[in-house]
Amino acid sequence: MIHSTDDTIAAIATPIGEGAISVIRVSGQEAIKTVSRKFLSKTNLNNVKSHTAHFGKIINQMGDIIDEVICVVYKMPNSYTGEDTVEISCHGGIQNTKKVLNCILEENVRPAKPGEFTFRAFLNGKMDLSQAEAVADIIHSQSEKGHKISLHQLEGELSKKIFELRDKLVKATSLLELELDFVEENIELINAETVEEIITNCLAEVKLLMKSFFIGRIAKEGVSVALVGIPNSGKSSLMNAILKEERAIVTEIPGTTRDFIEERYTHDGILYRLIDTAGLRNTKDLVEIEGIKRTWNIIEKADVVIFIHDATTEMLPEENSFLEKIKTASAEKKSIIIANNKIDLLKNVTNVEHENLSNIEVFTSAKTLEGVENLVQEISRSIFTTDKIEIGETTIITNQRHFQALERTKEQLESALTSIKQKKSEEFIALDLRGAIDSIGEIVGLVTTEDILNEIFSKFCIGK
Ligand code: GDP
């Protein structure tokens, strides 16, 4: 995909649809000259100052007036892309916007590919790779907290942290390499502890960043909550009760097949994805077996599992064994909440408390909504107390690519520490450190491959 950057590109930067205005972005060496040829106005865009807005009419090749517009001119390097840019605000609507864009494309201008403006911004040093990714994250953010983290990332909070860590590692490596130069002369310039100390500190910070990924991922993608239990325990009813309580914006999952039902709500700025699953039971019915298989897949992937039990009955041996299996299927970070449902049918709620269960238990009625708000609170508490990281307190990573780069950095730092302990020669240690420096540099794009760049920018929308 890596496109040439010496040509001029244009695209509609606002959503396609009916709106008061649309914005068409034109960027590149010829941007101002090109637009000025199509801009009928008392102002010549070639002579205006950067960051100024001008009224005029867009005309096509034949000289016909297409629309009345405002052109905002940005001169390099003070634009989003770092190149000369004109943003044309025209009247909204699909037909009109496309016509205006087509007038610009009549000139020597090519339609921009997805993410190409941001790609140019990255190439021109306007932002590093993690900031470019934050642009996409902001556009796609689905919750208040996710948006907040992405904004911090765009402002360079993560980049700053990464550059600091990288600088420390570069320092440690140069100390080692200096040592290597003098080794023949038998001069010891630094003691191993200094290098060891730097590496140990960096390793701790890398681990902390990795730990933040749990919360970061949740803030970005939402918390997946699986509602499970034997048939008729009240899974669907409880799902509706939670959605009613939370006044959910009910959205369907994209895609064609609906093997299970997923609905969303937000609570305290975090998105929750509630998944209603096929009832668990021992059965010989082939279709049901398939459904139950999928339920187990969902359980494995979910952040929180709510096991719904009909409180009007005893806990069945079958239910106990499902609960055991859920615990085994769950990763360590998973929270399991037992919801004793249908308490409206009980006279005395305390009768149903289960002894010897180490899980969080709540009592609900999907019918009267009693206890439902408490269940919502418990879901949120179970996620945010398993990990003490508070959003806003520390740098949080939300991106799988960053997590993987940190994972490699961690391994290389650990290997360097082992080499130091084993008193291996400086060359070995320096080699690991060089690897760690490269790995951590990938996050901000100091080290990239075409594949990485393609992967990142292809996810953008056109016009960004
Ligand atoms: P699922 O098979 O687990 O999804 O269970 P449903 O949500 O379909 O509920 C099974 C039956 O229990 C339905 O008749 C519901 O109306 C009823 N039910 C569910 N929750 C409650 C509750 O809290 N109180 C009462 N009284 N009935 C409930």
Side-chain angles (χ1 to χ4, degrees):
M1 178 191 89
I2 308 296
H3 338 279
S4 89
T5 52
D6 43 22
D7 47 4
T8 298
I9 53 172
I12 301 166
T14 40
I16 306 292
E18 286 180 14
I21 57 166
S22 292
V23 174
I24 292 159
R25 201 181 240 172
V26 190
S27 181
Q29 283 169 18
E30 300 287 315
I32 300 174
K33 237 186 259 167
T34 305
V35 177
S36 76
R37 282 200 291 271
K38 291 298 169 75
F39 188 60
L40 198 62
S41 167
K42 58 178 196 285
T43 322
N44 181 348
L45 290 184
N46 293 302
N47 303 330
V48 302
K49 282 196 188 135
S50 184
H51 294 70
T52 52
H54 308 276
F55 174 76
K57 290 166 183 151
I58 291 288
I59 49 168
N60 67 11
Q61 253 167 356
M62 326 289 287
D64 306 328
I65 292 170
I66 302 299
D67 195 14
E68 291 188 343
V69 302
I70 299 281
C71 285
V72 180
V73 173
Y74 301 90
K75 296 212 169 155
M76 65 169 290
N78 299 317
S79 70
Y80 180 75
T81 54
E83 303 170 329
D84 279 349
T85 300
V86 183
E87 283 179 2
I88 309 170
S89 298
C90 61
H91 288 103
I94 304 167
Q95 283 313 318
N96 188 61
T97 313
K98 279 194 177 157
K99 272 186 157 173
V100 175
L101 174 66
N102 285 339
C103 289
I104 303 303
L105 294 177
E106 282 172 356
E107 299 290 316
N108 192 18
V109 174
R110 139 176 99 69
K113 305 249 166 51
E116 203 172 353
F117 293 98
T118 311
F119 178 63
R120 289 188 172 192
F122 165 65
L123 287 185
N124 291 328
K126 298 297 286 187
M127 56 177 80
D128 65 49
L129 206 51
S130 77
Q131 288 172 308
E133 288 170 306
V135 171
D137 289 345
I138 285 174
I139 295 171
H140 296 134
S141 69
Q142 306 182 61
S143 70
E144 185 195 317
K145 295 249 159 84
H147 178 260
K148 192 169 157 187
I149 297 176
S150 305
L151 203 61
H152 282 311
Q153 191 174 316
L154 178 66
E155 284 166 352
E157 192 189 284
L158 176 65
S159 319
K160 190 167 155 247
K161 184 104 200 159
I162 297 299
F163 277 112
E164 271 169 20
L165 278 171
R166 192 179 172 277
D167 285 350
K168 284 183 199 163
L169 293 175
V170 169
K171 185 182 157 208
T173 316
S174 54
L175 285 174
L176 278 173
E177 284 172 354
L178 207 63
E179 174 100 331
L180 275 175
D181 289 343
F182 287 90
V183 80
E184 274 137 45
E185 291 156 50
N186 251 343
I187 310 169
E188 197 178 338
L189 290 170
I190 47 151
N191 55 36
E193 270 133 74
T194 319
V195 174
E196 192 175 346
E197 213 177 283
I198 298 175
I199 302 174
T200 311
N201 288 342
C202 287
L203 183 60
E205 295 210 43
V206 166
K207 282 183 180 167
L208 204 64
L209 277 175
M210 286 174 72
K211 202 170 152 213
S212 78
F213 184 52
F214 174 67
I215 291 295
R217 182 185 61 78
I218 275 172
K220 187 168 149 188
E221 291 170 12
V223 182
S224 56
V225 185
L227 295 164
V228 302
I230 61 170
N232 283 323
S233 50
K235 294 180 292 298
S236 309
S237 309
L238 205 53
M239 174 151 173
N240 290 332
I242 294 173
L243 297 175
K244 201 191 286 174
E245 188 72 28
E246 288 300 300
R247 290 189 187 81
I249 315 148
V250 177
T251 50
E252 296 210 346
I253 40 167
T256 44
T257 48
R258 281 175 53 126
D259 303 332
F260 47 82
I261 295 172
E262 181 184 298
E263 306 282 13
R264 298 162 173 217
Y265 68 91
T266 52
H267 177 82
D268 217 3
I270 295 280
L271 177 80
Y272 290 83
R273 294 183 281 115
L274 276 183
I275 307 158
D276 188 9
T277 61
L280 292 171
R281 67 172 182 155
N282 297 319
T283 172
K284 294 209 160 55
D285 182 297
L286 285 180
V287 178
E288 217 180 332
I289 287 175
E290 187 52 38
I292 292 173
K293 213 168 104 189
R294 289 184 186 160
T295 299
W296 285 109
N297 279 338
I298 293 166
I299 291 174
E300 270 169 39
K301 288 190 202 125
D303 299 307
V304 182
V305 178
I306 303 180
F307 187 85
I308 298 152
H309 164 70
D310 179 343
T312 62
T313 67
E314 287 294 312
M315 196 73 140
L316 303 171
E318 200 184 13
E319 289 184 285
N320 276 322
S321 76
F322 286 138
L323 252 177
E324 279 310 313
K325 200 171 158 195
I326 291 170
K327 278 188 215 163
T328 330
S330 304
E332 52 183 87
K333 275 180 193 148
K334 191 155 306 181
S335 320
I336 302 168
I337 299 174
I338 299 177
N340 297 285
N341 191 33
K342 310 194 188 180
I343 53 162
D344 54 296
L345 299 175
L346 293 179
K347 288 204 180 69
N348 190 351
V349 171
T350 50
N351 283 348
V352 294
E353 285 219 36
H354 302 115
E355 298 294 325
N356 305 326
L357 282 173
S358 54
N359 306 295
I360 311 164
E361 273 200 74
V362 296
F363 300 90
T364 57
S365 165
K367 195 172 169 193
T368 65
L369 299 188
E370 192 184 341
V372 174
E373 178 55 30
N374 183 42
L375 170 60
V376 169
Q377 301 281 2
E378 280 301 339
I379 297 171
S380 139
R381 227 173 282 150
S382 73
I383 279 292
F384 291 100
T385 49
T386 44
D387 217 300
K388 292 274 182 281
I389 294 172
E390 256 300 310
I391 293 168
E393 245 176 33
T394 156
T395 309
I396 290 176
I397 61 157
T398 61
N399 191 307
Q400 182 79 33
R401 188 183 75 79
H402 301 169
F403 182 77
Q404 285 164 347
L406 288 169
E407 213 163 31
R408 285 194 296 279
T409 311
K410 174 179 157 274
E411 280 161 18
Q412 281 143 337
L413 292 180
E414 281 169 347
S415 164
L417 281 180
T418 313
S419 300
I420 292 178
K421 294 218 168 71
Q422 291 172 347
K423 305 226 177 317
K424 283 199 185 155
S425 90
E426 272 89 357
E427 281 148 85
F428 280 100
I429 308 162
L431 200 67
D432 280 330
L433 286 186
R434 289 251 161 247
I437 290 166
D438 280 354
S439 299
I440 204 159
E442 280 175 29
I443 297 175
V444 285
L446 288 175
V447 183
T448 51
T449 64
E450 197 168 322
D451 285 348
I452 296 179
L453 294 178
N454 281 345
E455 167 72 19
I456 294 170
F457 289 99
S458 63
K459 285 192 195 126
F460 276 68
C461 37
I462 290 180
K464 200 58 225 174

PDB file of all heavy atoms in Angstrom, residues 412-431:
ATOM      1  N   GLN A 412      13.391  -9.569  26.133  1.00  0.00           N
ATOM      2  CA  GLN A 412      14.784  -9.219  25.859  1.00  0.00           C
ATOM      3  C   GLN A 412      15.470  -8.624  27.083  1.00  0.00           C
ATOM      4  O   GLN A 412      16.644  -8.891  27.337  1.00  0.00           O
ATOM      5  CB  GLN A 412      14.844  -8.265  24.661  1.00  0.00           C
ATOM      6  CG  GLN A 412      14.704  -9.036  23.351  1.00  0.00           C
ATOM      7  CD  GLN A 412      13.902  -8.289  22.295  1.00  0.00           C
ATOM      8  OE1 GLN A 412      13.099  -7.410  22.599  1.00  0.00           O
ATOM      9  NE2 GLN A 412      14.124  -8.656  21.037  1.00  0.00           N
ATOM     10  N   LEU A 413      14.703  -7.854  27.856  1.00  0.00           N
ATOM     11  CA  LEU A 413      15.285  -7.288  29.080  1.00  0.00           C
ATOM     12  C   LEU A 413      15.575  -8.393  30.089  1.00  0.00           C
ATOM     13  O   LEU A 413      16.601  -8.387  30.770  1.00  0.00           O
ATOM     14  CB  LEU A 413      14.352  -6.241  29.689  1.00  0.00           C
ATOM     15  CG  LEU A 413      14.164  -4.954  28.885  1.00  0.00           C
ATOM     16  CD1 LEU A 413      13.224  -3.995  29.607  1.00  0.00           C
ATOM     17  CD2 LEU A 413      15.506  -4.274  28.622  1.00  0.00           C
ATOM     18  N   GLU A 414      14.647  -9.347  30.171  1.00  0.00           N
ATOM     19  CA  GLU A 414      14.872 -10.461  31.107  1.00  0.00           C
ATOM     20  C   GLU A 414      16.095 -11.271  30.695  1.00  0.00           C
ATOM     21  O   GLU A 414      16.894 -11.685  31.536  1.00  0.00           O
ATOM     22  CB  GLU A 414      13.625 -11.360  31.158  1.00  0.00           C
ATOM     23  CG  GLU A 414      12.539 -10.757  32.042  1.00  0.00           C
ATOM     24  CD  GLU A 414      11.185 -11.455  31.935  1.00  0.00           C
ATOM     25  OE1 GLU A 414      11.008 -12.259  30.993  1.00  0.00           O
ATOM     26  OE2 GLU A 414      10.312 -11.177  32.770  1.00  0.00           O
ATOM     27  N   SER A 415      16.236 -11.460  29.396  1.00  0.00           N
ATOM     28  CA  SER A 415      17.385 -12.201  28.901  1.00  0.00           C
ATOM     29  C   SER A 415      18.686 -11.442  29.213  1.00  0.00           C
ATOM     30  O   SER A 415      19.697 -12.044  29.602  1.00  0.00           O
ATOM     31  CB  SER A 415      17.205 -12.429  27.400  1.00  0.00           C
ATOM     32  OG  SER A 415      18.388 -12.800  26.821  1.00  0.00           O
ATOM     33  N   ALA A 416      18.637 -10.108  29.071  1.00  0.00           N
ATOM     34  CA  ALA A 416      19.821  -9.300  29.391  1.00  0.00           C
ATOM     35  C   ALA A 416      20.179  -9.441  30.862  1.00  0.00           C
ATOM     36  O   ALA A 416      21.361  -9.589  31.219  1.00  0.00           O
ATOM     37  CB  ALA A 416      19.557  -7.838  29.053  1.00  0.00           C
ATOM     38  N   LEU A 417      19.155  -9.434  31.724  1.00  0.00           N
ATOM     39  CA  LEU A 417      19.412  -9.570  33.167  1.00  0.00           C
ATOM     40  C   LEU A 417      20.021 -10.931  33.487  1.00  0.00           C
ATOM     41  O   LEU A 417      20.932 -11.037  34.321  1.00  0.00           O
ATOM     42  CB  LEU A 417      18.111  -9.382  33.957  1.00  0.00           C
ATOM     43  CG  LEU A 417      17.645  -7.940  34.164  1.00  0.00           C
ATOM     44  CD1 LEU A 417      16.348  -7.914  34.952  1.00  0.00           C
ATOM     45  CD2 LEU A 417      18.710  -7.115  34.880  1.00  0.00           C
ATOM     46  N   THR A 418      19.513 -11.974  32.820  1.00  0.00           N
ATOM     47  CA  THR A 418      20.070 -13.315  33.040  1.00  0.00           C
ATOM     48  C   THR A 418      21.546 -13.331  32.634  1.00  0.00           C
ATOM     49  O   THR A 418      22.393 -13.869  33.360  1.00  0.00           O
ATOM     50  CB  THR A 418      19.289 -14.359  32.204  1.00  0.00           C
ATOM     51  OG1 THR A 418      17.906 -14.110  32.386  1.00  0.00           O
ATOM     52  CG2 THR A 418      19.613 -15.772  32.605  1.00  0.00           C
ATOM     53  N   SER A 419      21.834 -12.724  31.494  1.00  0.00           N
ATOM     54  CA  SER A 419      23.234 -12.689  31.040  1.00  0.00           C
ATOM     55  C   SER A 419      24.123 -11.987  32.058  1.00  0.00           C
ATOM     56  O   SER A 419      25.252 -12.403  32.311  1.00  0.00           O
ATOM     57  CB  SER A 419      23.344 -11.967  29.696  1.00  0.00           C
ATOM     58  OG  SER A 419      22.570 -12.633  28.748  1.00  0.00           O
ATOM     59  N   ILE A 420      23.600 -10.899  32.646  1.00  0.00           N
ATOM     60  CA  ILE A 420      24.395 -10.177  33.653  1.00  0.00           C
ATOM     61  C   ILE A 420      24.653 -11.089  34.849  1.00  0.00           C
ATOM     62  O   ILE A 420      25.782 -11.193  35.345  1.00  0.00           O
ATOM     63  CB  ILE A 420      23.671  -8.888  34.107  1.00  0.00           C
ATOM     64  CG1 ILE A 420      23.631  -7.885  32.954  1.00  0.00           C
ATOM     65  CG2 ILE A 420      24.353  -8.276  35.327  1.00  0.00           C
ATOM     66  CD1 ILE A 420      22.901  -6.591  33.260  1.00  0.00           C
ATOM     67  N   LYS A 421      23.581 -11.772  35.296  1.00  0.00           N
ATOM     68  CA  LYS A 421      23.724 -12.660  36.466  1.00  0.00           C
ATOM     69  C   LYS A 421      24.721 -13.769  36.172  1.00  0.00           C
ATOM     70  O   LYS A 421      25.463 -14.190  37.050  1.00  0.00           O
ATOM     71  CB  LYS A 421      22.356 -13.243  36.843  1.00  0.00           C
ATOM     72  CG  LYS A 421      21.421 -12.154  37.327  1.00  0.00           C
ATOM     73  CD  LYS A 421      20.519 -12.579  38.474  1.00  0.00           C
ATOM     74  CE  LYS A 421      19.860 -11.349  39.063  1.00  0.00           C
ATOM     75  NZ  LYS A 421      18.826 -10.766  38.151  1.00  0.00           N
ATOM     76  N   GLN A 422      24.688 -14.246  34.928  1.00  0.00           N
ATOM     77  CA  GLN A 422      25.604 -15.340  34.572  1.00  0.00           C
ATOM     78  C   GLN A 422      26.989 -14.827  34.199  1.00  0.00           C
ATOM     79  O   GLN A 422      27.829 -15.580  33.711  1.00  0.00           O
ATOM     80  CB  GLN A 422      25.012 -16.137  33.403  1.00  0.00           C
ATOM     81  CG  GLN A 422      23.767 -16.915  33.802  1.00  0.00           C
ATOM     82  CD  GLN A 422      23.080 -17.545  32.602  1.00  0.00           C
ATOM     83  OE1 GLN A 422      23.377 -17.226  31.454  1.00  0.00           O
ATOM     84  NE2 GLN A 422      22.158 -18.453  32.859  1.00  0.00           N
ATOM     85  N   LYS A 423      27.163 -13.533  34.361  1.00  0.00           N
ATOM     86  CA  LYS A 423      28.448 -12.877  34.073  1.00  0.00           C
ATOM     87  C   LYS A 423      28.925 -13.136  32.642  1.00  0.00           C
ATOM     88  O   LYS A 423      30.121 -13.353  32.378  1.00  0.00           O
ATOM     89  CB  LYS A 423      29.523 -13.325  35.084  1.00  0.00           C
ATOM     90  CG  LYS A 423      29.149 -13.104  36.531  1.00  0.00           C
ATOM     91  CD  LYS A 423      30.306 -12.471  37.284  1.00  0.00           C
ATOM     92  CE  LYS A 423      30.040 -12.126  38.719  1.00  0.00           C
ATOM     93  NZ  LYS A 423      28.774 -11.498  39.040  1.00  0.00           N
ATOM     94  N   LYS A 424      27.971 -13.140  31.729  1.00  0.00           N
ATOM     95  CA  LYS A 424      28.340 -13.294  30.317  1.00  0.00           C
ATOM     96  C   LYS A 424      28.999 -12.002  29.830  1.00  0.00           C
ATOM     97  O   LYS A 424      28.862 -10.955  30.458  1.00  0.00           O
ATOM     98  CB  LYS A 424      27.081 -13.577  29.484  1.00  0.00           C
ATOM     99  CG  LYS A 424      26.595 -15.000  29.609  1.00  0.00           C
ATOM    100  CD  LYS A 424      25.670 -15.334  28.457  1.00  0.00           C
ATOM    101  CE  LYS A 424      25.065 -16.702  28.629  1.00  0.00           C
ATOM    102  NZ  LYS A 424      23.794 -16.832  27.939  1.00  0.00           N
ATOM    103  N   SER A 425      29.629 -12.090  28.674  1.00  0.00           N
ATOM    104  CA  SER A 425      30.360 -10.910  28.207  1.00  0.00           C
ATOM    105  C   SER A 425      29.376  -9.806  27.783  1.00  0.00           C
ATOM    106  O   SER A 425      28.222 -10.071  27.451  1.00  0.00           O
ATOM    107  CB  SER A 425      31.270 -11.269  27.046  1.00  0.00           C
ATOM    108  OG  SER A 425      30.569 -11.120  25.852  1.00  0.00           O
ATOM    109  N   GLU A 426      29.895  -8.576  27.802  1.00  0.00           N
ATOM    110  CA  GLU A 426      29.065  -7.401  27.510  1.00  0.00           C
ATOM    111  C   GLU A 426      28.359  -7.510  26.158  1.00  0.00           C
ATOM    112  O   GLU A 426      27.271  -6.989  25.976  1.00  0.00           O
ATOM    113  CB  GLU A 426      29.917  -6.128  27.529  1.00  0.00           C
ATOM    114  CG  GLU A 426      30.035  -5.492  28.882  1.00  0.00           C
ATOM    115  CD  GLU A 426      31.204  -6.038  29.679  1.00  0.00           C
ATOM    116  OE1 GLU A 426      31.865  -6.953  29.153  1.00  0.00           O
ATOM    117  OE2 GLU A 426      31.438  -5.568  30.792  1.00  0.00           O
ATOM    118  N   GLU A 427      29.011  -8.182  25.216  1.00  0.00           N
ATOM    119  CA  GLU A 427      28.420  -8.278  23.880  1.00  0.00           C
ATOM    120  C   GLU A 427      27.029  -8.905  23.919  1.00  0.00           C
ATOM    121  O   GLU A 427      26.115  -8.465  23.228  1.00  0.00           O
ATOM    122  CB  GLU A 427      29.290  -9.134  22.962  1.00  0.00           C
ATOM    123  CG  GLU A 427      30.479  -8.393  22.417  1.00  0.00           C
ATOM    124  CD  GLU A 427      31.650  -9.309  22.198  1.00  0.00           C
ATOM    125  OE1 GLU A 427      31.702  -9.926  21.130  1.00  0.00           O
ATOM    126  OE2 GLU A 427      32.482  -9.423  23.119  1.00  0.00           O
ATOM    127  N   PHE A 428      26.897  -9.959  24.740  1.00  0.00           N
ATOM    128  CA  PHE A 428      25.604 -10.650  24.849  1.00  0.00           C
ATOM    129  C   PHE A 428      24.540  -9.704  25.393  1.00  0.00           C
ATOM    130  O   PHE A 428      23.432  -9.629  24.885  1.00  0.00           O
ATOM    131  CB  PHE A 428      25.718 -11.850  25.795  1.00  0.00           C
ATOM    132  CG  PHE A 428      26.331 -13.045  25.148  1.00  0.00           C
ATOM    133  CD1 PHE A 428      27.659 -13.354  25.361  1.00  0.00           C
ATOM    134  CD2 PHE A 428      25.568 -13.857  24.303  1.00  0.00           C
ATOM    135  CE1 PHE A 428      28.242 -14.455  24.755  1.00  0.00           C
ATOM    136  CE2 PHE A 428      26.135 -14.948  23.693  1.00  0.00           C
ATOM    137  CZ  PHE A 428      27.472 -15.260  23.911  1.00  0.00           C
ATOM    138  N   ILE A 429      24.936  -9.002  26.440  1.00  0.00           N
ATOM    139  CA  ILE A 429      23.979  -8.110  27.096  1.00  0.00           C
ATOM    140  C   ILE A 429      23.576  -6.995  26.132  1.00  0.00           C
ATOM    141  O   ILE A 429      22.394  -6.683  25.975  1.00  0.00           O
ATOM    142  CB  ILE A 429      24.586  -7.516  28.387  1.00  0.00           C
ATOM    143  CG1 ILE A 429      25.136  -8.657  29.255  1.00  0.00           C
ATOM    144  CG2 ILE A 429      23.577  -6.702  29.163  1.00  0.00           C
ATOM    145  CD1 ILE A 429      26.127  -8.223  30.309  1.00  0.00           C
ATOM    146  N   ALA A 430      24.570  -6.456  25.436  1.00  0.00           N
ATOM    147  CA  ALA A 430      24.300  -5.359  24.504  1.00  0.00           C
ATOM    148  C   ALA A 430      23.365  -5.824  23.380  1.00  0.00           C
ATOM    149  O   ALA A 430      22.484  -5.080  22.953  1.00  0.00           O
ATOM    150  CB  ALA A 430      25.602  -4.829  23.922  1.00  0.00           C
ATOM    151  N   LEU A 431      23.547  -7.062  22.960  1.00  0.00           N
ATOM    152  CA  LEU A 431      22.712  -7.602  21.886  1.00  0.00           C
ATOM    153  C   LEU A 431      21.241  -7.635  22.312  1.00  0.00           C
ATOM    154  O   LEU A 431      20.349  -7.216  21.576  1.00  0.00           O
ATOM    155  CB  LEU A 431      23.204  -9.012  21.544  1.00  0.00           C
ATOM    156  CG  LEU A 431      22.798  -9.542  20.181  1.00  0.00           C
ATOM    157  CD1 LEU A 431      23.484  -8.743  19.082  1.00  0.00           C
ATOM    158  CD2 LEU A 431      23.177 -11.026  20.059  1.00  0.00           C
TER     159      LEU A 431
END
